[in-house]
Amino acid sequence: MNGLVLTLIFAILNSVGYGLLLLLSSGITVVFGLMGVLNVAHASFYMLGAYLAYELVHLTDNFWIALLVAPVLVAAFGAFCALALLLYRTRLGMIVRAAVLPTVAM
């Protein structure tokens, strides 16, 4: 292929990837902003999903299975962490600044 065509393809793929990261980060910011929790753990969940997908590819030798299973596992873990944080906040009456510590620990 022509070098210009390859450059254009890579530029389009990079812009789509960065656009998806922008949507992910802004969505998380809005959700946690409405909940009143300063979250610094979203990058950790993103990293956990990438690591799980990597390991699942090596275990199953199938990229598509890993692509389907890893987000489900990370979503279940995230829901568990969110539920634990919600119960922790309601039982102990945490203030917003004290809610940062569990999100760092996640």
Side-chain angles (χ1 to χ4, degrees):
M1 275 194 174
N2 191 356
L4 182 62
V5 173
L6 284 175
T7 303
L8 182 64
I9 290 172
F10 283 124
I12 290 171
L13 289 175
N14 281 332
S15 61
V16 167
Y18 287 130
L20 290 174
L21 286 175
L22 173 72
L23 287 174
L24 175 75
S25 62
S26 62
I28 288 173
T29 301
V30 167
V31 167
F32 281 103
L34 291 174
M35 288 175 52
V37 174
L38 175 64
N39 184 18
V40 291
H42 58 276
S44 299
F45 285 114
Y46 190 75
M47 179 199 63
L48 179 66
Y51 178 73
L52 282 175
Y54 175 78
E55 287 298 322
L56 285 171
V57 165
H58 286 293
L59 287 175
T60 63
D61 289 330
N62 191 339
F63 172 76
W64 299 108
I65 290 175
L67 188 66
L68 294 174
V69 172
V72 172
L73 292 176
V74 172
F77 181 68
F80 171 75
C81 289
L83 181 63
L85 182 62
L86 179 68
L87 291 174
Y88 184 64
R89 281 183 72 183
T90 56
R91 291 198 191 269
L92 297 179
M94 284 185 356
I95 58 174
V96 174
R97 282 180 284 161
V100 174
L101 184 61
T103 62
V104 171
M106 284 192 270

